[in-house]
Amino acid sequence: EAGVAQSPRYKIIEKRQSVAFWCNPISGHATLYWYQQILGQGPKLLIQFQNNGVVDDSQLPKDRFSAERLKGVDSTLKIQPAKLEDSAVYLCASSPTLYEQYFGPGTRLTVT
Amino acid sequence: DAKTTQPNSMESNEEEPVHLPCNHSTISGTDYIHWYRQLPSQGPEYVIHGLTSNVNNRMASLAIAEDRKSSTLILHRATLRDAAVYYCLGGGFQKLVFGTGTRLLVSP
């Protein structure tokens, strides 16, 4: 079974630029999550989708972050404009709902 | 979601058992106890979960205290590949709140 795919794996941008991350969940998984993991900390949930609807985006900084899940499958997370404190690993996870979450390898973002 | 407390780091020798403790004194009666681990440069990986009874799978065992205020993840024979950050979480499957976890160091 293929795992959660994420791209790119690494991204370096300057502050105030925009960036987008892509996630392809495990086939058939209805629930998709985006997490932010700052160095030395555990992952923090940004947004949760159930199919293509948002279930929880309470910790998403909506003034600069946006996310969508097209047709209930792939998802993109965008940051515009980026700040230095957005430097982190962005993790995508999926689950077949009410079961364990499967995480992708993450995208390491460096904002200079 | 239950707040969990774990030691910052633990050390073990290869092929020895490892007991990773977790305190979750505020856990509710319906909250599951989940364990995930994160190997270097990878996303977290599910290890095991339980509610009340002890649980075993191919990766580890989970021993849950009778009052459910604490639990222990048991790796029966540590290998170098088990070196990772281990997270203990309390709550439902969909709202995982990660702390800083326990960094497990395994020496040959």
Side-chain angles (χ1 to χ4, degrees):
Chain A
E1 176 179 80
V4 176
Q6 291 188 247
S7 67
R9 290 296 312 277
Y10 305 91
K11 190 74 177 179
I12 301 174
I13 62 172
E14 295 182 351
K15 59 183 179 183
R16 291 186 290 274
Q17 286 187 324
S18 63
V19 64
F21 312 126
W22 174 81
C23 172
N24 180 234
I26 294 173
S27 177
H29 283 194
T31 310
L32 185 146
Y33 311 80
W34 283 102
Y35 290 84
Q36 179 193 58
Q37 185 172 24
I38 293 172
L39 187 65
Q41 300 180 18
K44 183 184 84 171
L45 179 68
L46 292 176
I47 189 167
Q48 176 189 341
F49 292 94
Q50 181 77 15
N51 296 309
N52 60 353
V54 175
V55 174
D56 183 356
D57 64 357
S58 57
Q59 298 195 88
L60 186 73
K62 298 180 186 65
D63 58 335
R64 298 184 301 105
F65 285 64
S66 65
E68 61 178 2
R69 188 178 185 193
L70 303 173
K71 299 181 181 178
V73 182
D74 292 4
S75 178
T76 55
L77 176 69
K78 296 179 181 178
I79 307 175
Q80 182 179 13
K83 293 184 175 181
L84 294 177
E85 59 260 36
D86 298 332
S87 293
V89 175
Y90 290 85
L91 295 159
C92 179
S94 71
S95 80
T97 307
L98 299 182
Y99 290 92
E100 60 267 23
Q101 296 184 23
Y102 296 82
F103 286 79
T107 296
R108 182 176 298 278
L109 174 67
T110 302
V111 182
T112 63
Chain B
D1 300 308
K3 176 177 170 56
T4 60
T5 305
Q6 299 177 254
N8 288 333
S9 65
M10 291 185 65
E11 295 185 24
S12 174
N13 293 318
E14 200 174 10
E15 298 191 5
E16 290 184 353
V18 180
H19 290 67
L20 297 167
C22 179
N23 288 318
H24 32 77
S25 57
T26 61
I27 198 168
S28 77
T30 57
D31 282 346
Y32 282 85
I33 299 152
H34 311 261
W35 284 83
Y36 282 73
R37 72 179 185 180
Q38 189 169 23
L39 279 64
S41 300
Q42 295 187 25
E45 173 188 30
Y46 166 80
V47 177
I48 200 166
H49 75 273
L51 188 60
T52 55
S53 304
N54 294 343
V55 184
N56 300 294
N57 66 19
R58 64 175 181 81
M59 290 183 68
S61 295
L62 176 60
I64 303 172
E66 195 169 336
D67 62 7
R68 294 197 355 111
K69 293 185 177 182
S70 66
S71 62
T72 301
L73 180 72
I74 302 166
L75 306 179
H76 296 284
R77 289 183 64 193
T79 69
L80 296 179
R81 294 182 68 248
D82 291 323
V85 177
Y86 286 78
Y87 296 99
C88 167
L89 308 97
F93 284 93
Q94 297 194 43
K95 191 73 181 282
L96 297 182
V97 179
F98 289 83
T100 53
T102 296
R103 181 173 299 279
L104 176 65
L105 304 172
V106 181
S107 300

